[in-house]
Amino acid sequence: MRESLIPVVPMSHTAHIRNHRKPRRNASTLAMRAGVAGGVLSTLAVSGAAGSANAAEPVTQTLELPTLTADLATQLAQSADATQQAAANYELQAERDAAAAKAAKQAKADLADAKKKAEAKKKAEDARKAAAAQAASRSSTRTVLSSSAGSSSSTVSAPASGSVATVIAFLKAQVGDAYVMGGTGPNAWDCSGLVQAAFRQVGVDLPRVSQDQSTSGTPVSLSNIQVGDILYWGSAGSAYHVGVYIGNGQYLDAANPSKGVVIQNLSGYPATGAVRVL
């Protein structure tokens, strides 16, 4: 068996000491690293310059509004027209509503006024009918009294002629009529108008006013008065009121607006004087 021979290489006496030298780098690796480093430095330099420039000048930002297109402008104009038309329509409707309310109010007032007029007309017609009926009733009463004048004379305190009885009957038929200044009948009288009408029934034409009636005929004292004598208040020739004595201390006259034609007691309102015409 052959033995292998291992060649022995002589070593340096410093071979066992570790080599601290850095390994060599090839040229391509160095070149690449140099390029990266240069790019980074360039970027930093540009950023610093930009930062300095930005610090020196204020930053302004401009906002641009969108430009209206022709279609959008047309739509806005149409919308404005529509809004204006709607407002006009609302205003017109409000005016119509106000006019309708006013017309309704006026119609209501006219209806109320028409009802009032109708009621007033009805009341007037009823009053006219009542007055006509009352006048007819009085006319009937006067006819009866005229036909029974002889028996009526028995109600007085002293004998009276047929002419006096006729005067008294006429006067009593007017009791309840109204007093109206200047009234001469047939349903409203003043004092002298009633006396004049009563004596006209027997053909005696007396003056119209009380002043003249107080001096007509023969003056008589109040202690001697008889049925049918004219009584007056105030002095003769200027009397302010007249009536006719009907006996039993009573007289009949158209007194005043509140009493009308009434029979009163002479003691309650004594006359000033009297005259006799029958």
Side-chain angles (χ1 to χ4, degrees):
M1 177 175 182
R2 294 179 66 184
E3 292 179 3
S4 299
L5 298 177
I6 298 173
V8 178
V9 180
M11 296 178 64
S12 171
H13 64 280
T14 60
H16 66 282
I17 299 173
R18 181 173 298 192
N19 189 0
H20 294 282
R21 183 180 297 178
K22 292 181 179 181
R24 292 181 181 179
R25 298 180 178 136
N26 58 36
S28 60
T29 300
L30 294 175
M32 183 182 67
R33 290 183 178 180
V36 171
V40 171
L41 293 176
S42 298
T43 300
L44 294 176
V46 172
S47 298
S52 300
N54 290 336
E57 297 180 2
V59 177
T60 57
Q61 185 177 6
T62 302
L63 297 177
E64 295 184 1
L65 295 176
T67 303
L68 295 178
T69 64
D71 292 340
L72 181 58
T74 301
Q75 292 176 3
L76 290 176
Q78 291 176 351
S79 178
D81 291 341
T83 301
Q84 185 176 3
Q85 183 62 40
N89 291 338
Y90 289 145
E91 183 177 0
L92 180 60
Q93 186 62 39
E95 292 177 356
R96 289 176 178 174
D97 292 343
K102 183 177 180 181
K105 184 177 180 181
Q106 184 62 41
K108 185 177 180 180
D110 292 342
L111 179 60
D113 186 57
K115 288 183 178 179
K116 288 182 180 179
K117 289 181 179 180
E119 291 175 358
K121 185 176 181 180
K122 185 177 182 301
K123 288 182 180 179
E125 182 65 18
D126 292 343
R128 185 190 66 78
K129 290 180 179 180
Q134 187 176 13
S137 176
R138 286 176 180 169
S139 296
S140 177
T141 302
R142 289 168 187 167
T143 301
V144 173
L145 288 173
S146 296
S147 63
S148 59
S151 60
S152 298
S153 62
S154 62
T155 61
V156 298
S157 60
S161 65
S163 296
V164 171
T166 300
V167 170
I168 300 304
F170 177 85
L171 290 171
K172 287 183 176 181
Q174 315 311 314
V175 172
D177 282 356
Y179 176 97
V180 176
M181 180 67 69
T184 56
N187 299 312
W189 314 87
D190 65 9
C191 63
S192 58
L194 178 61
V195 171
Q196 184 188 49
F199 281 89
R200 187 181 292 130
Q201 304 302 310
V202 295
V204 177
D205 190 14
L206 292 176
R208 170 65 183 84
V209 296
S210 60
Q211 291 88 340
D212 296 333
Q213 290 177 3
S214 65
T215 59
S216 299
T218 303
V220 294
S221 66
L222 293 176
S223 60
N224 294 320
I225 56 174
Q226 295 179 4
V227 174
D229 286 347
I230 298 175
L231 304 176
Y232 63 85
W233 286 257
S235 59
S238 59
Y240 58 84
H241 187 66
V242 291
V244 177
Y245 184 66
I246 62 173
N248 296 323
Q250 295 180 320
Y251 67 96
L252 189 153
D253 67 337
N256 52 52
S258 63
K259 291 183 177 181
V261 178
V262 293
I263 295 175
Q264 305 190 78
N265 292 320
L266 190 57
S267 60
Y269 188 37
T272 303
V275 294
R276 186 172 297 160
V277 296
L278 290 176

